[in-house]
């Protein structure tokens, strides 16, 4: 029997990393589609009439059903009852359905159709939701934005389901092995999806010198088809693994209503939950507006149409260089030989400088913001290793919040001062975006491992479900708020590339201030109760 177990797929490094790659690529594709319209906000206003309120309302709709229909809780129940492989395929299928609806909503075929007329005349008033001020639609909202919001709601259900499923799948294949490395690798690849979206969404929208926003979304739909294929292949691999081991699929304790009282009365839970919603609300909603914010605050002059920097081939070259930055930087953390480690690190830094230079020469906001996840990919393993061996999780939370505040205030007050400086503005933008990306790694790396130390182990599964639900409230609310604040603080008819982003950025910085205060409170609670948050995860 022992010999049989040693020959399972899970015991083969190649097979378990293949399983991880299949799941990670599915999440990579979903991250691309999640922000597929973010780099082309200006084109959505020019071609579909979406002002900032319409854009923000549609973007916030992604998590609407997870928050108000409690689909996030149902997703956990489905995962618990049906297992990893079924839920993985189901989540990819749901995402694909939502993606197809969103594509049709922004396509030329929807314009002038009977469906457009129906959406124009309906969903202008949703009882109860309207009174509570949380309706996903409003009177005067463009019909294409309404229909796209419907598709995005469905996509969001599948995406959240996929997120919790992938984590469970990694535990199943890597338990007792390189689990931390596997989770870090999956996160790094998924975040590269953000950069991929920033580069290729505008590329497809402007392909052939003819603007078509539906092409960008169609690109995302194709990727969701690939994600579905990946999960089907994973289904087969996972089924073979169970057949070899004779094991039933691992199940966590399901979410129980009876757990609510115990969790909600725990002060540690509330500190972590509020930290989570504050921090993520200052990052993910910002991503959806970041490219447009740069367009409004940088002096960007398009290169000559016949130059190399304006050609379509530069997009591919720049993306390849980005992959070199990420791959070399990530791999450098796992080299025991110093010469190899520093050699890979040098390659990564040289490639990053090359990428930034090319982004400057292209003079496009999307290629500048695409550096956002690159430093995060590089330092994620370093942070994880430091936390495991040296601790200081709460100190990292405080540092991450300080960096977050500094970055948003820099975007709000310092970047606009350099609008007349073509070089200075881009340098400040690059530096701030890279630091924000580092902060994005710093906080989650220290936040999530702290939860088991704060919450009773018997209710940890339920606590995570509630934390994710509370997080989704922020991810629904703040894209909508940013859009409303933009429209309220800019004169009607302002060009989409001349908006003043000061007020929304101050709002996001305030979220960082609140997170910083909570970080200090958490530090005091840790010291008083001896929770061990500052202690290393690995005991010597």
């Amino acid at each position: 029997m022992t010999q049989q177990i040693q020959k399972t797929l899970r015991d083969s490094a190649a097979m378990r990393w293949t399983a991880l790659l299949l799941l990670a690529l599915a999440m990579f594709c979903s991250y691309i589609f999640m922000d597929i319209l973010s780099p082309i906000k200006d084109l959505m206003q020019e071609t579909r009439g979406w002002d900032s309120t319409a854009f923000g309302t549609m973007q916030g709709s992604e998590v609407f059903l997870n928050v108000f229909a409690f689909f996030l809780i149902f997703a956990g129940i489905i995962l618990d009852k049906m297992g990893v492989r079924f839920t993985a395929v189901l989540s990819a299928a749901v995402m694909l359905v939502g993606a197809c609806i969103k594509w049709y909503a922004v396509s030329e075929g929807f314009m002038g159709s009977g469906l457009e007329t129906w959406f124009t005349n309906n969903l202008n008033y949703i009882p109860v939701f309207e009174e509570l001020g949380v309706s996903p639609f409003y009177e005067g909202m463009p019909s294409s934005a309404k229909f796209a919001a419907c598709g995005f709601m469905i996509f969001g259900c599948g995406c959240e389901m996929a997120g919790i499923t992938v984590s469970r799948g990694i535990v199943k294949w890597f338990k007792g092995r390189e689990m931390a490395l596997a989770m870090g690798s999956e996160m790094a690849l998924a975040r590269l999806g953000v950069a991929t979206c920033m580069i290729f969404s505008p590329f497809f929208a402007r392909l052939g010198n003819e603007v078509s926003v539906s092409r960008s979304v169609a690109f995302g739909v194709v990727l969701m088809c690939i994600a579905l294929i990946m999960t089907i292949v994973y289904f087969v691999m996972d089924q073979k693994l169970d057949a070899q081991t004779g094991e039933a699929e691992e199940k966590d304790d399901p979410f129980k209503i009876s757990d609510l009282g115990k969790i909600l009365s725990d002060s540690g839970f509330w500190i972590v939950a509020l930290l989570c919603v504050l921090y993520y609300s200052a990052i993910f909603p910002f991503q959806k507006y970041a490219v447009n914010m740069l367009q409004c605050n940088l002096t960007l002059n398009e290169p000559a149409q016949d130059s190399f920097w304006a050609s379509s081939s530069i997009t591919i070259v720049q993306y390849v260089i980005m992959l070199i930055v990420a791959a070399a930087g990530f791999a450098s953390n796992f080299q025991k030989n110093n010469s190899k480690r520093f050699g890979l690190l040098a390659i990564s830094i040289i490639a990053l400088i090359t990428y930034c230079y090319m982004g400057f020469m292209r003079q496009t906001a999307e290629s500048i913001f695409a550096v956002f996840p690159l430093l995060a990919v590089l330092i994620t393993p370093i942070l994880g290793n430091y936390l495991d061996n040296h601790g200081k999780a709460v100190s990292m939370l405080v540092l991450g919040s300080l960096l977050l505040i500094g970055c948003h205030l820099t975007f709000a007050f310092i970047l606009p001062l350099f609008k007349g400086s073509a070089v200075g503005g881009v340098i400040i933008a690059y530096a701030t975006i890279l630091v924000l990306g580092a902060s994005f790694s710093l906080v989650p790396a220290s936040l999530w491992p702290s939860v088991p130390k704060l919450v009773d182990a018997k209710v940890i599964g339920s606590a995570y479900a509630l934390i994710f639900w509370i997080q989704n409230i922020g991810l629904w609310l703040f894209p909508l708020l940013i859009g409303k604040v933009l429209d309220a603080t800019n004169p009607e008819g302002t060009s989409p590339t001349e908006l003043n982003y000061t007020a929304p950025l101050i709002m996001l910085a305030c979220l960082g201030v609140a997170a910083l205060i909570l970080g200090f409170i958490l530090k005091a609670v840790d010291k008083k109760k001896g929770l061990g948050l500052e202690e290393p995860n690995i005991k010597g």
Side-chain angles (χ1 to χ4, degrees), residues 219-240:
F219 163 65
V221 171
V222 171
L223 290 176
M224 295 320 304
C225 291
I226 294 172
L228 179 58
I229 294 169
M230 295 292 179
T231 57
I232 292 171
V233 176
Y234 173 82
F235 184 102
V236 175
M237 284 187 66
D238 197 76
Q239 201 170 39
K240 279 190 176 181

Side-chain angles (χ1 to χ4, degrees), residues 6-63:
Q6 288 175 345
K7 293 179 180 178
T8 63
L9 292 174
R10 185 165 49 200
D11 292 295
S12 164
M15 288 297 100
R16 65 175 176 268
W17 282 96
T18 299
L20 174 73
L21 185 62
L22 291 169
L23 292 173
L25 283 174
M27 289 306 297
F28 171 79
C29 293
S30 71
Y31 266 55
I32 292 174
F33 192 85
M34 193 186 301
D35 278 317
I36 201 70
L37 294 182
S38 300
I40 54 174
K41 176 183 180 289
D42 57 325
L43 298 182
M44 296 309 300
Q45 181 164 344
E46 292 169 5
T47 63
R48 295 295 183 270
W50 294 15
D51 60 12
S52 294
T53 299
F55 183 82
T57 303
M58 192 287 303
Q59 293 282 38
S61 68
E62 180 197 351
V63 295

Side-chain angles (χ1 to χ4, degrees), residues 285-303:
F286 171 72
Q287 282 180 196
K288 300 181 184 301
Y289 291 87
V291 170
N292 187 235
M293 183 275 295
L294 292 176
Q295 290 171 336
C296 297
N297 285 304
L298 293 175
T299 300
L300 299 171
N301 300 304
E302 289 187 17

